[in-house]
Amino acid sequence: MSESPVLDRAIAALRAGRTVRVGGLAVLSVETATQTMLDLLDPNGNAPMLLSGPRAMALGLGNARDAAGDSEPVEVRHCEWLDREAARALADPSRDFDRGPIGPLNAIPVESPDCARAALTLARLAGVLPALWLVADEPAVAIESAEISAAVAAQSAIIVARAKLPIDDLPASQMVAFRDPASGEEHVALVVGAFGGEPPLVRLHSECLTGDVFGSLKCDCGPQLKEALRIIGASGGGVLLYLRQEGRGIGLANKLRAYALQDRGLDTVDANRRLGFSDDERGYGMAAAMLRALGIESVKVLTNNPAKVAGLEREGIQVVERVAHHMPTNPHNADYIATKKKRSGHLD
């Protein structure tokens, strides 16, 4: 999968409900661990929980410790009633409105903040909720905090396949598949037509199964994708990067949890934060690495999101122009698009 087999094993273990040692902490996913595993590793019921800062703040724990904040982990002392089911109810905010208050909760100092942050990053890479048991165990998989941080920071893209891909109403096109050495995920670039050495028109499109495939009206992703291809084709050529960043980087299952919260009245930003994530977990290192692998160092970007422009420039790609990407709203996504403008800085 990746250039770091130990990272692959750590991600797989966390997804499978097994323990992983991150630096000095042995952690177990609250979402995937079984009660049997928890009983085996914590027979006396003493294991505390580790929560992300945003989730802790949503539970009213944000001011319980001086270090708590939007990005700082929070440790919750174990108590008699905090079994697996109660812990999952705490960790999963999509259940917040279907239960009564849970508590009292007692936040305690995080002894190894760097390891705790790295462990929560590992949970995000594994696509599980950012909530972990801290257990006493010597697991088979151990990884250092620095290795997780390095995998996130050192984005690179390996071309693994490419082929011609004829598409209706577009110039001659080819699809190029890339693999992320850190996570093993595959991303693709659709290279449309020819751009004659000039900075190509580039669209960064985050994967959206619900919108791109099923035509969901809750977002504007499907229409954005189709219109971007039309604009790129009409301009004579360019590149569409299709990035595995479902739900602004939180994954499909967590995106559906966010949808459930939106159905209860939260906007997209507050829903993500209540889940324990920032409002946008995407990075642009992979997009920049893909462009460089294609021999592209300078681009025009088709977007209304200034964070994409700033992200590419931060990763060393020169953005010579931002091209607006306007889409009409519908009754189901009007509030979502308004929130992106008001709270995430999207442009008209």
Side-chain angles (χ1 to χ4, degrees), residues 10-11 13-15 17-22 25-33 38 46-52 55 73-78 82 87-88 90-92 114-135 148:
I11 289 173
L14 212 58
R15 287 173 176 167
R18 298 182 180 179
T19 52
V20 177
R21 179 166 293 281
V22 179
L25 300 178
V27 299
L28 184 67
S29 168
V30 167
E31 181 178 354
T32 59
L38 191 60
N46 296 322
M49 279 179 64
L50 187 67
L51 297 173
S52 70
R55 181 57 183 157
V74 174
E75 189 171 329
V76 179
R77 189 190 302 277
H78 198 94
L82 193 57
R88 289 193 67 186
L90 276 178
D92 186 351
D114 290 343
C115 294
R117 281 190 289 269
L120 289 168
T121 297
L122 183 66
R124 179 174 63 80
L125 292 174
V128 298
L129 288 167
L132 302 167
W133 293 110
L134 300 177
V135 295
I148 297 174

Side-chain angles (χ1 to χ4, degrees), residues 52-195:
S52 70
R55 181 57 183 157
M57 293 182 74
L59 292 169
L61 294 171
N63 296 321
R65 299 303 315 169
D66 291 339
D70 282 343
S71 61
E72 295 299 324
V74 174
E75 189 171 329
V76 179
R77 189 190 302 277
H78 198 94
C79 48
E80 290 183 2
W81 54 266
L82 193 57
D83 59 9
R84 177 179 180 269
E85 183 57 29
R88 289 193 67 186
L90 276 178
D92 186 351
S94 65
R95 301 165 65 176
D96 282 356
F97 300 104
D98 298 320
R99 60 167 175 78
I102 293 181
L105 299 171
N106 183 13
I108 56 179
V110 177
E111 293 186 4
S112 303
D114 290 343
C115 294
R117 281 190 289 269
L120 289 168
T121 297
L122 183 66
R124 179 174 63 80
L125 292 174
V128 298
L129 288 167
L132 302 167
W133 293 110
L134 300 177
V135 295
D137 188 29
E138 289 300 329
V141 180
I143 186 169
E144 294 300 320
S145 304
E147 189 165 1
I148 297 174
S149 300
V152 173
Q155 292 275 271
S156 61
I158 300 170
I159 295 178
V160 293
R162 64 195 309 161
K164 295 178 181 178
L165 190 70
I167 298 176
D168 281 345
D169 299 323
L170 286 185
S173 303
Q174 62 172 309
M175 182 165 282
V176 185
F178 298 81
R179 183 169 293 127
D180 178 355
S183 67
E185 288 186 328
E186 293 177 346
H187 309 259
V188 298
L190 185 68
V191 181
V192 179
F195 26 92

